[in-house]
Amino acid sequence: MDTLNRTQSLEQLHPDSSFEQIIGSSPALKLVLADVERVASTDATVLVLGETGTGKELIAQAIHDASARCGRPFMKMNCAAIPFDLLESELFGYEKGAFTGAFAQKIGRFEMADTGTLFLDEIGDIPLALQPKLLRVLQEQEFERLGSGKTHRVNVRLVAATHRDLSAMIAREQFRSDLYYRLNVFPVALPPLRERREDIALLVSHFVKVFSQRMGKRIREISSDTLDAFTSYSWPGNVRELQNLVERALIASDQEVLANPFPESDSKSLCSNPVKTEGIVPSFAYPGTFRESERAQIRKALHASDWIIGGPRGAAARLGLKRTTLISKMKKLGISRPVWQTDHNILNPNFETEHAWQPTAH
């Protein structure tokens, strides 16, 4: 890490974030948090997208906490962790005697979340047969418990999350398109940890403090070599994997200095440049919703900068990208309708000075 001295104290790495549980200040994370603030004040359904371990539940909690529903119930359920034959009763509840073993009435998650927020993690694991009932409660805010003909009305804000490519699942007829469109009112795409390496030192510091308190073990320093190892790793398991490795490092630590948890055999998993990474805007492998979210983020930055790409106030600076990288992404995403005020080509990579864009005249 270029800006680190040989060692760093934990106090020097203390995070500065407007969301208490979300650690980081990278441009990629700031774009996500701006979306969270923007949508939280509404009752719109939110679809949180991202790889496993990126913190989708924390984003859902942040949306609830920043909304008018804060202080009301925040219920959560991992759809992948519930057996298919129990999902319906978990969501909607059942009456006594509805089926063998139903010895008492059960209230479902939608009723428990009434007036608040329901977070459904791994929404892509909802079985196809149950999806019409979920669609109905999202559209009409009403449902029936199993074994009952009485309709119950609720006022619930839904935040759903998935690591799956729902567009591809629709093509394979594994997910209903109408449910997808109802869920995808406001998508929030979380970048993987490898695309926001600037936040790794803050995350390491945060988890060191958490685990040192739990273990009653004091850590005063994190060496630059250890920090370089953390920031250079590829992090296939994202923040969850980092958390586990910090715990391992703390267990192995002596003399109040955090141990390096990476054996030398892991060197092939390290990157040659631990912090200087291009492409801060998430560039997920999924072609559908993530691509749309990236396009929306770039357009948002372009509008905010009056369609200026370069310079300190340009869209590239807002996104944490090089000017040429942003132009390349615009080509890939088909963002090409505006033209230069002069006759220069909009995406001419050799045109290096700042220019404002104006819409094509028709």
Side-chain angles (χ1 to χ4, degrees), residues 2 145 166 183 192 308:
D2 297 340
R145 296 184 194 137
L166 297 184
L183 291 170
I308 294 174

Side-chain angles (χ1 to χ4, degrees), residues 71-108:
R72 307 285 180 87
F74 176 75
M75 302 304 302
K76 52 190 177 182
M77 189 178 86
N78 188 323
C79 301
I82 308 295
F84 281 7
D85 56 347
L86 296 180
L87 264 175
E88 184 174 6
S89 61
E90 284 294 322
L91 286 171
F92 305 111
Y94 56 79
E95 298 291 346
K96 180 179 179 180
F99 50 84
T100 303
F103 300 116
Q105 183 189 77
K106 176 182 174 64
I107 302 299

Side-chain angles (χ1 to χ4, degrees), residues 299 303 307 334-339 346 357-362:
R299 282 192 171 277
H303 282 293
W307 296 90
I335 304 175
S336 59
R337 285 187 299 170
V339 296
I346 175 179
W357 288 5
Q358 295 196 359
T360 306
H362 292 290

Side-chain angles (χ1 to χ4, degrees), residues 179-201:
L179 177 58
Y180 167 72
Y181 296 130
R182 187 63 187 83
L183 291 170
N184 195 36
V185 174
F186 193 91
V188 175
L190 299 188
L193 188 55
R194 62 185 174 274
E195 292 190 6
R196 57 181 188 104
R197 294 182 184 276
E198 305 95 322
D199 296 333
I200 290 175

Side-chain angles (χ1 to χ4, degrees), residues 86-159:
L86 296 180
L87 264 175
E88 184 174 6
S89 61
E90 284 294 322
L91 286 171
F92 305 111
Y94 56 79
E95 298 291 346
K96 180 179 179 180
F99 50 84
T100 303
F103 300 116
Q105 183 189 77
K106 176 182 174 64
I107 302 299
R109 303 298 174 97
F110 272 99
E111 281 186 85
M112 295 168 68
D114 192 19
T115 73
T117 303
L118 176 61
F119 172 55
L120 294 182
D121 199 4
E122 300 303 345
I123 194 74
D125 287 77
I126 291 280
L128 199 59
L130 185 56
Q131 292 177 23
K133 192 166 184 178
L134 179 59
L135 177 63
R136 180 193 171 203
V137 73
L138 290 179
Q139 290 180 333
E140 309 296 336
Q141 294 277 291
E142 64 182 29
F143 64 93
E144 291 81 36
R145 296 184 194 137
L146 289 175
S148 171
K150 180 181 178 182
T151 299
H152 296 269
R153 293 196 60 83
V154 289
N155 175 12
V156 174
R157 198 256 183 91
L158 184 74
V159 179

Side-chain angles (χ1 to χ4, degrees), residues 9 50 74 79 109 123 205 223 235 248 271 275 280 297 330:
S9 68
F74 176 75
C79 301
R109 303 298 174 97
I123 194 74
S205 171
S223 72
W235 297 113
R248 179 197 301 176
C271 304
V275 176
I280 297 299
Q297 288 176 332
M330 288 163 58

